[in-house]
Amino acid sequence: MPTDVPQLMASALADAQKVRRDVIPVMHSHRILEPRKLVQSPPGPCSQSLPPQIRRRRSIPSVEFHCPLLPLAPFVLTLCVLLPAANAQDWQKHSIDNRGRGADGVRLLDVNADGLFDIACGWEEAGETRAYLNPGPALVRTPWPSVTVGKSGPVEDAVFCDLDGDGAFDVISASEDQRIRVHWAPADASRWLDATSWTTEILPAATGLQNWMFTIPTQLDGHHGPDLVAAGKGPEVVWFEAPADPRNLAAWKRHLISSRGGWTMGMMLTELSGDDLPDLLLGIRRTNPGVRWFRNPGPGADLYLPWPETGVGVQGQAAGFVEVADLDGDGLTDVVVPMMEQRTLQIFRGLDRTGRRWQTTNLPLPTERNKGIAIGDINLDGQADLIVAHELGGAAWFSHSGNPHSTEWMRHPIGSGGKLDDVTLLDLDADGDLDVLTTDERGQQVIWFENPHQP
């Protein structure tokens, strides 16, 4: 890489502080899919419109509502898988950063307003969190400019957000030492890549409660800056209320969403109840395992009470990451979840706009420990494909013949890895197709697979 790239990145960051971003108020997921026109509150500091890949339902700002918990009676189908039709050697693997061990998932945001998505990543075994600036298509196959934003213990998740509203994107990390940390970015954007310019503080309201797996910055109560939704390996799913001064971490307050959480593998905010509010969708591996969502009451007194809960499909099964899309174009949200302790991927077809009625399709997979999931058009045929990452194996994508709820799916290998996490789709090399971004804790760490399909 040319030696002047980091300096150019730093200069671009300084210029970016002068730019007002066109953003939406919730970043509920780190997959790159089609933006929708949203009814918006003022622009938020933690999310941006995403480039088009496939239709999906998106989160919308909150209004008050109520929802009784109703029983679920899912329909179940079994889905056959045809033989592989593509060769994994067609997908080239590139390393963004392989210094050390323990890279554990990526979250994306354009932090310097250059139109390219940058990366936040926690390194669990190294006990630190790093941020990466996307160098652009010409240099995307080389190591990216990066900065260690702070020590973060056995970190499981890291996400960008301008938490204090100073125009610089901070990083929030969630760790298995029962701590959530805020890594404050330097106000001087030219020093963003200087590790000594970052400071790290611990969020007191999160300390000692349970091991943390995820945080999602979002505006829930309509006051002050972004709040934080969080879940971990314990039973409590919570949100942290931002005070008037977000820098005063001692003033943040914790509120219970549910005491029926568990080892959370997947978490996202997405609208499921038909009222344009961002509800909370979880995939839980152990302790209350299953897929369930919690209806956002919106600003008001009910926001501070436990949120109404609805199960998706049969409960008691260990779930991996979760993803949503309108797979069949019927205007309803479908949920896709790989199962961790079964050889199956479950597709939950939404049957109405209430989020209470689902038809379940089981897609058999070769092994257990299926973990990551993404949805996008991999082969450019206009159809929604599924990308699945196996925790202790490789990744593959699945195509269908035109009906995503039929029995005709085909498995195509992508590549192997030592311990893959969730997968994210975006066109990194700007050649018109979707590449696959992930982490490999036991291999080349922060990696991406280059899609061989081109327009």
Side-chain angles (χ1 to χ4, degrees):
M1 182 194 317
T3 57
D4 60 344
V5 169
Q7 288 81 6
L8 291 173
M9 291 289 184
S11 176
L13 276 165
D15 293 339
Q17 284 190 325
K18 305 173 183 177
V19 178
R20 182 174 182 83
R21 296 164 174 81
D22 179 17
V23 300
I24 60 174
V26 175
M27 186 164 187
H28 69 281
S29 170
H30 50 282
R31 252 71 63 202
I32 305 305
L33 299 165
E34 179 178 318
R36 296 187 57 178
K37 295 291 185 180
L38 304 182
V39 180
Q40 301 192 56
S41 59
C46 304
S47 179
Q48 294 150 346
S49 297
L50 305 175
Q53 309 297 352
I54 184 176
R55 294 180 182 177
R56 68 181 289 176
R57 298 174 66 81
R58 298 297 308 275
S59 304
I60 314 277
S62 301
V63 296
E64 184 174 359
F65 67 88
H66 305 272
C67 173
L69 178 62
L70 297 179
L72 180 68
F75 298 91
V76 179
L77 298 176
T78 299
L79 187 62
C80 299
V81 183
L82 304 182
L83 295 176
N87 198 330
Q89 67 190 26
D90 295 333
W91 291 73
Q92 296 184 38
K93 181 164 61 176
H94 306 283
S95 178
I96 291 172
D97 184 359
N98 63 1
R99 300 166 298 155
R101 292 170 63 85
D104 198 3
V106 297
R107 304 283 287 274
L108 306 183
L109 200 72
D110 178 9
V111 301
N112 56 355
D114 62 356
L116 303 172
F117 280 89
D118 308 300
I119 295 174
C121 178
W123 286 68
E124 182 178 5
E125 294 181 27
E128 61 188 33
T129 294
R130 300 176 189 170
Y132 303 84
L133 293 180
N134 189 330
L139 296 173
V140 76
R141 296 174 182 84
T142 65
W144 292 18
S146 65
V147 59
T148 298
V149 302
K151 295 296 182 182
S152 46
V155 56
E156 286 285 345
D157 176 64
V159 60
F160 289 120
C161 181
D162 180 8
L163 205 60
D164 57 359
D166 67 351
F169 283 96
D170 313 301
V171 178
I172 300 102
S173 63
S175 298
E176 290 193 83
D177 60 359
Q178 302 190 355
R179 290 175 172 86
I180 292 174
R181 295 171 173 85
V182 179
H183 308 278
W184 299 108
D188 181 357
S190 66
R191 301 188 64 195
W192 201 86
L193 288 173
D194 178 4
T196 64
S197 299
W198 291 74
T199 58
T200 298
E201 293 184 285
I202 294 172
L203 182 65
T207 301
L209 183 65
Q210 61 189 18
N211 290 339
W212 296 104
M213 297 291 287
F214 290 101
T215 62
I216 301 178
T218 186
Q219 176 55 253
L220 288 175
D221 58 3
H223 302 297
H224 312 311
D227 307 302
L228 295 175
V229 178
K233 284 189 173 180
E236 294 202 9
V237 183
V238 303
W239 69 279
F240 297 97
E241 178 186 353
D245 178 10
R247 284 268 185 171
N248 181 10
L249 294 185
W252 287 68
K253 297 179 181 180
R254 186 178 73 235
H255 303 284
L256 181 69
I257 292 175
S258 175
S259 58
R260 280 180 37 81
W263 183 350
T264 303
M265 296 300 297
M267 183 172 84
M268 65 187 301
L269 290 171
T270 187
E271 194 278 311
L272 290 170
S273 53
D275 57 8
D276 292 340
L277 286 169
D279 305 304
L280 181 63
L281 177 65
L282 297 183
I284 300 177
R285 181 175 182 177
R286 294 177 188 164
T287 310
N288 305 312
V291 182
R292 59 182 62 94
W293 64 276
F294 302 89
R295 189 167 182 178
N296 180 354
D302 288 347
L303 183 65
Y304 304 93
L305 302 175
W307 296 10
E309 173 189 336
T310 300
V312 180
V314 176
Q315 299 301 292
Q317 300 178 359
F321 283 85
V322 293
E323 183 56 284
V324 300
D326 181 5
L327 292 175
D328 50 12
D330 64 356
L332 301 174
T333 297
D334 306 309
V335 178
V336 183
V337 184
M339 308 309 290
M340 291 292 297
E341 297 176 6
Q342 297 177 336
R343 298 183 179 186
T344 185
L345 175 78
Q346 294 193 343
I347 303 173
F348 303 102
R349 181 183 186 183
L351 299 179
D352 59 25
R353 298 187 186 280
T354 68
R356 304 180 193 130
R357 298 179 61 240
W358 306 90
Q359 174 182 287
T360 303
T361 299
N362 291 312
L363 191 157
L365 297 176
T367 60
E368 299 172 351
R369 304 290 290 272
N370 305 292
K371 187 176 183 181
I373 179 66
I375 304 172
D377 184 6
I378 292 296
N379 59 350
L380 305 174
D381 65 352
Q383 305 289 342
D385 304 309
L386 308 178
I387 299 84
V388 180
H390 186 274
E391 185 177 39
L392 301 179
W397 67 279
F398 295 80
S399 60
H400 64 83
S401 60
N403 179 5
H405 304 292
S406 75
T407 59
E408 299 180 1
W409 285 78
M410 184 172 291
R411 181 180 183 275
H412 314 263
I414 291 176
S416 61
K419 186 180 179 183
L420 298 185
D421 199 74
D422 202 12
V423 285
T424 300
L425 301 181
L426 70 164
D427 186 4
L428 281 169
D429 52 3
D431 65 351
D433 57 23
L434 289 173
D435 305 303
V436 176
L437 174 65
T438 186
T439 54
D440 182 358
E441 291 186 63
R442 301 293 182 267
Q444 292 180 286
Q445 305 305 314
V446 186
I447 60 174
W448 64 282
F449 294 95
E450 186 174 346
N451 191 339
H453 302 88
Q454 295 184 5

